[in-house]
Amino acid sequence: MFRRSSIEIWVGAFVLMTLVALIFVAFKVSNFQGFQDKPTYQVSALFSNIGGLKVRAPVKISGVVVGRVDSISVDQKTYRAKVVMDIYKEYNKLSLDTSASILTSGLLGDQYIGLTPGADDEYLKNGDQIDIAQSALVLEELIGQFLTKLGDSGNKK
Amino acid sequence: MTTETVIRIENLRFQRGDRVIFDDVTLDIPEGKITAIMGPSGTGKTTLLKLIAGQLVPDSGSVTVYDKNVHKLSRSQLYVLRSRMGMLFQSGALLTDLNVFENVAFPIREHTDLPEDLIELIVKLKLQAVGLRGALELMPSELSGGMSRRVALARAIALDPDMVFYDEPFVGQDPITMGILVSLIKKLNQSLKLTSVVVSHDVKEVLSIADFACVISEGRIVAQGTPEELLASDSEYVKQFLRGLPDGPVPFHYPATDYIEDLSC
Amino acid sequence: MLNYFHSLLFTMGKVTLGVASSVGRGALFVASLVPALPYAFTRIDLLVKQVYFSGVLSLPIILTAGLFVGMVLSLQGYNVLVDYNSEEAVGTMTALSLLRELGPVVTALLFAGRAGSALTAEIGLMRSTEQTSALEMMAVDPLKFIFVPRLVGAIIALPMLSMMFIGMGIFGGYLVAVGWLGVDDGAFWSQMHAHVDWKDDVVNGMIKSVAFAVLVSIIALFQGQDAIPTSEGVSRATTRTVVHASLGVLGLDFVLTALMFN
Ligand SMILES: Nc1ncnc2c1ncn2[C@@H]1O[C@H](COP(=O)(O)OP(=O)(O)OP(=O)(O)O)[C@@H](O)[C@H]1O
Ligand SMILES: [Mg+2]
């Protein structure tokens, strides 16, 4: 009977090691937050250009993640990009005149949405739309603008 | 026969590919007696046991055990029936990852909820009967052929079944062990009223304990009756087989084309 | 000329029929296994034994392989990323490659070679030594006693091995990147944490691993069951297990990747 019990001990150790690996992967490696996500509410914003923004990109205030991009689509009326964000419930005191802009982490890094709260007394609720939205900086456009400006100033001389 | 029949084989026909192994075999095996089945090597004695146990399915004909047609039973009914049978395989067929003790204990553990000390007692009794109580700890790979067949015998009778099939129990045993096994089979049969079927080539030994015997050759039963009747038979077949004479009607060769023709090609 | 054509047709027909009949036998085998699956949990002792044989005994090879694969990924990744000044991303890259692809796939390939071949050989030999017949005669159903515990044991063990492979690989990547190449410790982990998604990457990887486990163990058991019960037959069946299971894993991986990450 010695053999059987030693098999059981080994299998127990095996399970334990798997758990350690799983916990390591869940908390240290990935963004595991329990099986149901944190409670959120949704707000949207219209951008004329979202650049390389992707679904699940972070939404940040002063660099702190306060939510994630839920969906990206084209608004049928305005033909602008409609970005719906899930904001964590704990940040439910964002003023109505909060502005959103698409920013890039580092020179070539991923794009995310930065929120800048304003001074209004009323707060954003589920389903509200953020009115002040600044599009992504697209490198080609920047270079284009720079070149035309260069051309213009050359003409003036 | 005055006794009841437990196993009734009727018009059995079985083929392997094109080769007919049994052609219209009818045989009754009486309850609580020892029945010997003899016949040349390769005639299908092992096959017959497997047909009785429902491991092979006949092409036509039927096998009835305790009034149930073995090949018409559902899987679970068949397993219930088999738990009343013990089979000693020709090769032993011990489970190679268990030692001798665990092999004999295996059917007991699988089919009963007996406490460990009782299991140990039973296993030791059975192993003592086959003279291997000292080999408890050995693994099947550490046993000789004769030893593993004796362990398999102990396993076959571990649950005290109603029927036991012995496929060549005496092969590879020395004369003394053989004598002990012969009397063991006889004793089991007498004390427990076991229905025993013994397949063996050891004519003298098996006929000394059998109540009833039959000789199979070329897919048919060529003779059956009590040992005395067989020994007194004047059939050429039986005489040749029982005395082991090289010449006679019993074929020694597997069916083949003409020998001289084959060599001269 | 006509003769060659004739024998070509003959071979083609023979191969096709052979494949078709083995696929058919395989399907029947699976169909007989599925209804017996619940019995795996009535015999925990057998299940634990099988997790031991296919899981615990595969642990050394899996952990070693995981460590080295992670180290190599990290080293290669670093050499590319350093040109773009984003060597902190090496952790993210290592973790994503391991979680999405290499963890499940390499573990399944190693498992096919280490545990799958052993399963085939074991069952083939049990058949050739009449152990399965003996079980049937002792009124013990080989399906419930031999096949189902092995199948379920492997399905449990492989994703666990895969998880440990991934953990070990990330640790190996960390050793090389942070310990040897001087990538910043904090950046290594925080980048990884920000980019690896629990659902998309970890859960999907584990789903892959379970699918591979089912595939590899069914192939291994079927080959054991289908083997001609002689030493040559068993050795051929063992080879077939490794070949079929490895190709099957790679093919299935493509299908699953296309379904999951598109
Ligand atoms: N699995 C099988 N496939 C095909 N043919 C088989 C198979 N097993 C046995 N046979 C054939 O069936 C015949 C009967 O075999 P069986 O094992 O029943 O003989 P036997 O009477 O027990 O012989 P022995 O006394 O040598 O044990 C043999 O001729 C053998 O060629
Ligand atoms: Mg035989």
Side-chain angles (χ1 to χ4, degrees):
Chain A
M1 285 297 91
F2 165 74
R3 244 177 81 81
R4 170 146 312 165
S5 71
S6 87
I7 283 182
E8 276 153 9
I9 290 171
W10 269 110
V11 171
F14 183 66
V15 173
L16 206 71
M17 285 170 72
T18 312
L19 282 181
V20 170
L22 187 69
I23 289 170
F24 167 69
V25 168
F27 294 104
K28 184 97 184 169
V29 175
S30 82
N31 52 4
F32 178 69
Q33 262 132 19
F35 284 101
Q36 69 265 56
D37 292 329
K38 279 195 209 174
T40 57
Y41 64 102
Q42 287 194 327
V43 297
S44 60
L46 294 177
F47 296 93
S48 51
N49 193 331
I50 58 159
L53 188 74
K54 290 192 187 71
V55 170
R56 292 203 64 78
V59 178
K60 300 182 181 180
I61 295 177
S62 313
V64 179
V65 178
V66 297
R68 301 221 166 248
V69 171
D70 179 60
S71 67
I72 300 172
S73 56
V74 172
D75 184 54
Q76 290 292 342
K77 268 179 276 174
T78 56
Y79 289 102
R80 300 209 300 170
K82 181 176 183 183
V83 176
V84 180
M85 298 163 251
D86 289 328
I87 310 287
Y88 302 139
K89 273 268 164 60
E90 51 193 292
Y91 305 104
N92 58 359
K93 296 233 163 87
L94 302 181
S95 61
L96 261 185
D97 58 348
T98 295
S99 64
S101 45
I102 295 177
L103 305 170
T104 308
S105 48
L107 190 57
L108 293 167
D110 283 341
Q111 288 182 308
Y112 65 95
I113 294 185
L115 297 182
T116 317
D120 206 299
D121 286 340
E122 282 190 62
Y123 302 124
L124 286 169
K125 301 185 302 297
N126 191 26
D128 280 355
Q129 183 164 332
I130 293 176
D131 295 325
I132 316 160
Q134 191 194 352
S135 292
L137 287 178
V138 180
L139 213 55
E140 294 94 318
E141 284 181 9
L142 277 184
I143 294 170
Q145 279 170 11
F146 177 71
L147 288 179
T148 36
K149 272 197 190 128
L150 213 66
D152 284 353
S153 53
N155 284 345
K156 269 175 202 161
K157 259 188 186 169
Chain B
M1 270 297 129
T2 48
T3 41
E4 299 245 342
T5 300
V6 250
I7 302 169
R8 171 166 284 144
I9 300 168
E10 281 170 312
N11 306 107
L12 187 78
R13 191 185 158 82
F14 181 74
Q15 255 176 299
R16 286 237 190 233
D18 289 337
R19 190 167 135 78
V20 178
I21 310 271
F22 293 115
D23 186 12
D24 200 19
V25 166
T26 299
L27 178 68
D28 285 350
I29 294 176
E31 182 166 30
K33 304 271 170 171
I34 298 178
T35 303
I37 295 180
M38 293 174 289
S41 176
T43 40
K45 303 179 297 293
T46 303
T47 310
L48 185 66
L49 294 186
K50 289 191 169 172
L51 282 163
I52 295 174
Q55 289 195 312
L56 293 174
V57 181
D59 296 320
S60 67
S62 65
V63 177
T64 326
V65 179
Y66 287 118
D67 298 323
K68 292 186 197 101
N69 185 333
V70 174
H71 303 100
K72 295 239 162 70
L73 294 178
S74 73
R75 208 179 166 85
S76 54
Q77 287 171 320
L78 183 60
Y79 276 65
V80 171
L81 182 63
R82 279 185 190 161
S83 61
R84 303 173 68 179
M85 299 176 173
M87 164 106 67
L88 167 64
F89 279 76
Q90 197 167 359
S91 61
L94 298 176
L95 301 177
T96 45
D97 58 340
L98 301 178
N99 66 18
V100 167
F101 179 89
E102 288 298 324
N103 258 292
V104 180
F106 182 81
I108 310 177
R109 285 194 206 288
E110 287 299 316
H111 292 297
T112 67
D113 284 323
L114 296 182
E116 191 56 40
D117 46 349
L118 201 53
I119 293 181
E120 196 174 322
L121 188 73
I122 299 175
V123 173
K124 285 186 174 164
L125 277 173
K126 304 291 176 188
L127 282 174
Q128 176 72 14
V130 296
L132 286 174
R133 194 170 47 84
L136 278 184
E137 299 285 324
L138 296 184
M139 295 304 282
S141 57
E142 297 166 322
L143 301 175
S144 73
M147 283 161 87
S148 43
R149 213 164 291 116
R150 278 188 281 157
V151 175
L153 175 59
R155 182 179 68 177
I157 58 176
L159 275 179
D160 294 328
D162 299 330
M163 295 164 267
V164 187
F165 305 106
Y166 304 91
D167 197 349
E168 319 247 0
F170 310 128
V171 171
Q173 308 294 351
D174 61 85
I176 301 167
T177 319
M178 199 190 293
I180 293 173
L181 289 186
V182 170
S183 59
L184 176 66
I185 292 175
K186 184 79 190 166
K187 244 189 280 168
L188 282 170
N189 166 254
Q190 283 174 338
S191 56
L192 299 170
K193 287 278 156 277
L194 281 185
T195 304
S196 312
V197 179
V198 186
V199 168
S200 180
H201 297 303
D202 297 283
V203 175
K204 194 162 62 76
E205 282 76 13
V206 76
L207 287 187
S208 72
I209 54 167
D211 299 299
F212 179 72
C214 72
V215 179
I216 307 180
S217 181
E218 294 183 315
R220 319 176 159 274
I221 295 185
V222 289
Q224 55 179 314
T226 60
E228 295 74 35
E229 284 167 5
L230 283 191
L231 288 169
S233 159
D234 28 70
S235 143
E236 285 298 317
Y237 251 102
V238 180
K239 270 198 225 161
Q240 190 208 342
F241 188 76
L242 296 187
R243 296 186 197 143
L245 305 174
D247 290 313
V250 179
F252 161 67
H253 296 287
Y254 190 90
T257 49
D258 188 71
Y259 185 46
I260 302 299
E261 211 173 90
D262 211 10
L263 293 185
S264 61
C265 65
Chain C
M1 187 63 210
L2 206 64
N3 237 338
Y4 275 122
F5 187 64
H6 194 97
S7 72
L8 183 74
L9 275 184
F10 178 79
T11 319
M12 272 170 65
K14 201 176 154 184
V15 168
T16 313
L17 288 179
V19 169
S21 86
S22 76
V23 166
R25 272 175 288 139
L28 284 179
F29 176 68
V30 173
S32 71
L33 263 182
V34 171
L37 276 182
Y39 289 101
F41 302 99
T42 60
R43 291 297 300 269
I44 299 297
D45 55 329
L46 296 177
L47 196 59
V48 166
K49 209 166 150 190
Q50 290 312 318
V51 172
Y52 177 81
F53 283 122
S54 34
V56 175
L57 295 185
S58 307
L59 208 51
I61 183 177
I62 294 292
L63 292 182
T64 319
L67 185 70
F68 282 113
V69 168
M71 285 165 64
V72 167
L73 275 177
S74 178
L75 193 55
Q76 290 283 12
Y78 179 86
N79 285 336
V80 176
L81 291 169
V82 78
D83 291 343
Y84 301 95
N85 262 337
S86 37
E87 61 268 21
E88 305 84 43
V90 71
T92 313
M93 200 212 71
T94 310
L96 286 181
S97 330
L98 282 169
L99 283 164
R100 291 181 175 185
E101 292 293 336
L102 291 174
V105 172
V106 176
T107 314
L109 293 179
L110 292 173
F111 189 82
R114 163 68 189 69
S117 58
L119 282 181
T120 304
E122 189 187 10
I123 289 178
L125 286 175
M126 283 183 120
R127 270 167 33 80
S128 73
T129 53
E130 292 195 291
Q131 292 184 56
T132 41
S133 292
L135 285 176
E136 280 180 14
M137 272 314 299
M138 288 188 278
V140 173
D141 191 346
L143 206 61
K144 296 176 196 165
F145 189 81
I146 297 180
F147 289 94
V148 166
R150 280 169 177 70
L151 177 65
V152 177
I155 295 176
I156 293 174
L158 180 48
M160 292 169 84
L161 288 171
S162 197
M163 201 73 229
M164 283 186 254
F165 181 96
I166 291 166
M168 204 64 191
I170 293 174
F171 176 69
Y174 171 80
L175 283 186
V176 168
V178 176
W180 178 23
L181 301 169
V183 173
D184 180 60
D185 193 1
F188 181 89
W189 291 116
S190 63
Q191 265 251 15
M192 192 190 293
H193 193 82
H195 285 86
V196 176
D197 187 63
W198 169 255
K199 245 192 248 139
D200 289 349
D201 303 319
V202 183
V203 174
N204 275 346
M206 285 303 107
I207 292 175
K208 275 188 176 182
S209 194
V210 173
F212 297 160
V214 173
L215 183 78
V216 172
S217 46
I218 283 184
I219 289 178
L221 294 178
F222 172 66
Q223 292 297 352
Q225 163 74 24
D226 204 42
I228 300 163
T230 59
S231 28
E232 199 204 1
V234 172
S235 96
R236 278 171 185 236
T238 311
T239 312
R240 271 201 304 273
T241 292
V242 177
V243 173
H244 292 189
S246 305
L247 292 179
V249 163
L250 295 171
L252 183 62
D253 181 49
F254 175 75
V255 174
L256 289 178
T257 305
L259 288 177
M260 285 172 174
F261 298 103
N262 238 344

